[in-house]
Amino acid sequence: MGSGRTVKFALCEVLQFAGLCVPLFIVMQRFAVIVAKVKTSAQPPGDGSTAYWLIVASSIAYVTSTALLVWVPLKYMVFMKKKFLIGRKKWRPVTLVYVILSTLPCFAFLIASSEVQINNNLKHDTFTELPVSLVLFSLICIDVVERIRHCRLTGQANDTERDADIPSTVLTHVEQVAPVTPITPAVPGPAVPRQGVPTPMQPGANQLNDRNQNGAGARLETNGTLPGIPGNNGRPYGMSGLSQPSGSTTPYHISPYAYTGPLRFLCATDARADVFVDSFMFWMDTVEMVRVAGHPLVYYSGWVFPIYIFSYLSCLRVVVMPHSPLLSSLGVALQDLPFFFVRVGLIAFFGFVTPILYLMKNLLVSLAFIYFNFMTKLKVFNTERMFF
């Protein structure tokens, strides 16, 4: 058991460190080739070999210094469970450091490569697949490793021991609701001795009849609240269950629907496999935006600046925990709204270099977020009548 954990720990660390170093080495090496070509084609010709090896040596020195001074100390503090790093579990320090130390320099050198070629009337390298296939893929790998490293990689997943960092839309947590005794208001007059304390009604046929008379369960109020549930207090509900009250209760886990029959293997699902799907889907919009920058018309223009700048801002979403409620607002502020305006400009200047599908996605997601989170609070939209 111990050897298995050691192997998994070593594998995760090697993958993350490779994701930190490899994109930097390759991007800076390609940038050194461009600088060397510019030096040799200048009048008078310069020493391209010296410039090439100087940039390569700088990349090695940068990776070595950041690994020894930042990456290794951070890993040590995370595994020693320092409270200021992992106490609140609302952010991921490893992904933040990776985005700053690896993704940011890679995007900076991609922009610099474009400017060097434009200023010297050179069209040598557009980095067509490198930003997507290497830089963003390494970031996806870091995200997947951070999500899955605390899960058991062998055997079947146990629903009661699922990692809290893996998001899910399955109702897995239902709490016991203590019965509430109605409190009658005090009436001035002679004191009446208490006849006894009524015992709470046990769940049975009477409760089932009451539920059938009142409807098929709790009625949903306007804005998605459940009335009459202790601990809810009008708070919104979600697919992950009702809002947790402050007290500790006994958790009950409801497994997903059990399918039987000869084709039940088609309904197989595992949260650990869903991590890979969620991670790749999380980055599809950013991948498409970075891909557009590799188009020759776009790369040899000034549009690489807004593309890579806003793409990097979109990458900052990975710092937040996967289940954090901040992801919705960050996704709109750092991705959908900026990407919408950038794509409108790209289509206006270069034609359909990016699909309309992503443009509509950015527009509809932004409008839906603004409408359902802000406009529905206005008096004209906040009504108990269900018009739609």
Side-chain angles (χ1 to χ4, degrees):
M1 191 68 178
S3 60
R5 291 181 179 179
T6 304
V7 171
K8 186 180 74 170
F9 172 80
L11 181 61
C12 291
E13 291 305 313
V14 169
L15 288 176
Q16 288 191 329
F17 188 72
L20 175 71
C21 301
V22 174
L24 282 168
F25 285 144
I26 296 180
V27 171
M28 295 184 74
Q29 188 271 336
R30 297 275 287 270
F31 175 72
V33 171
I34 294 174
V35 173
K37 192 172 186 62
V38 169
K39 286 286 187 180
T40 55
S41 60
Q43 295 296 333
D47 190 359
S49 177
T50 302
Y52 174 85
W53 288 110
L54 182 61
I55 296 175
V56 171
S58 300
S59 66
I60 297 175
Y62 172 79
V63 171
T64 304
S65 59
T66 53
L68 294 178
L69 299 178
V70 181
W71 187 259
V72 174
L74 175 69
K75 285 289 187 177
Y76 174 78
M77 288 187 290
V78 168
F79 293 129
M80 293 302 293
K81 297 182 180 179
K82 297 295 181 180
K83 184 175 290 188
F84 74 96
L85 285 176
I86 61 174
R88 297 182 180 271
K89 292 186 177 180
K90 294 181 180 179
W91 66 297
R92 298 190 286 181
V94 174
T95 55
L96 174 61
V97 171
Y98 177 83
V99 170
I100 295 175
L101 297 182
S102 181
T103 308
L104 180 60
C106 288
F107 282 2
F109 278 102
L110 290 171
I111 295 174
S113 301
S114 173
E115 287 301 302
V116 168
Q117 295 182 76
I118 292 174
N119 295 334
N120 292 275
N121 295 323
L122 179 67
K123 294 183 179 181
H124 174 69
D125 192 356
T126 61
F127 296 87
T128 305
E129 285 296 325
L130 188 62
V132 173
S133 301
L134 182 62
V135 179
L136 289 184
F137 179 72
S138 299
L139 183 57
I140 294 173
C141 291
I142 295 291
D143 184 22
V144 170
V145 170
E146 282 296 304
R147 292 192 190 193
I148 206 172
R149 69 179 307 153
H150 300 291
C151 301
R152 194 161 51 102
L153 301 183
T154 57
Q156 296 182 352
N158 188 0
D159 288 339
T160 61
E161 297 176 354
R162 291 181 61 177
D163 186 65
D165 296 342
I166 299 180
S168 176
T169 56
V170 180
L171 180 63
T172 58
H173 186 80
V174 178
E175 297 176 348
Q176 286 182 329
V177 178
V180 178
T181 304
I183 301 175
T184 58
V187 180
V192 179
R194 298 177 63 185
Q195 300 297 328
V197 179
T199 58
M201 184 184 302
Q202 299 295 328
N206 293 332
Q207 285 185 342
L208 294 177
N209 293 332
D210 293 339
R211 290 186 62 185
N212 292 331
Q213 292 176 2
N214 296 330
R219 180 173 59 88
L220 300 182
E221 295 289 346
T222 307
N223 298 333
T225 58
L226 291 176
I229 297 182
N232 189 30
N233 296 328
R235 287 179 289 182
Y237 65 94
M239 289 299 293
S240 60
L242 301 177
S243 302
Q244 283 191 353
S246 57
S248 61
T249 55
T250 304
Y252 290 90
H253 296 271
I254 300 178
S255 60
Y257 294 104
Y259 295 94
T260 57
L263 298 179
R264 62 181 180 272
F265 68 93
L266 297 177
C267 304
T269 181
D270 194 294
R272 296 167 294 184
D274 294 339
V275 167
F276 291 84
V277 180
D278 294 337
S279 296
F280 278 91
M281 293 301 298
F282 184 78
W283 294 105
M284 282 295 103
D285 202 356
T286 307
V287 166
E288 171 58 26
M289 180 59 72
V290 175
R291 185 201 65 81
V292 174
H295 196 283
L297 294 177
V298 180
Y299 188 78
Y300 296 114
S301 66
W303 281 91
V304 292
F305 281 94
I307 288 176
Y308 281 119
I309 289 174
F310 288 122
S311 296
Y312 177 75
L313 293 178
S314 174
C315 293
L316 294 177
R317 298 174 301 139
V318 76
V319 178
V320 183
M321 282 291 186
H323 61 277
S324 174
L326 290 174
L327 280 179
S328 297
S329 57
L330 288 179
V332 173
L334 299 180
Q335 177 173 278
D336 288 296
L337 278 177
F339 282 14
F340 173 75
F341 292 107
V342 172
R343 286 193 168 106
V344 169
L346 289 173
I347 293 175
F349 281 93
F350 303 104
F352 295 101
V353 293
T354 181
I356 297 294
L357 173 65
Y358 289 93
L359 180 68
M360 298 305 299
K361 177 259 181 187
N362 298 142
L363 177 62
L364 294 178
V365 169
S366 301
L367 292 179
F369 179 83
I370 295 172
Y371 174 77
F372 288 111
N373 287 281
F374 300 103
M375 295 185 66
T376 53
K377 295 180 181 179
L378 300 177
K379 187 176 181 180
V380 66
F381 295 106
N382 192 6
T383 176
E384 292 186 0
R385 292 184 177 181
M386 304 298 291
F387 290 103
F388 300 101

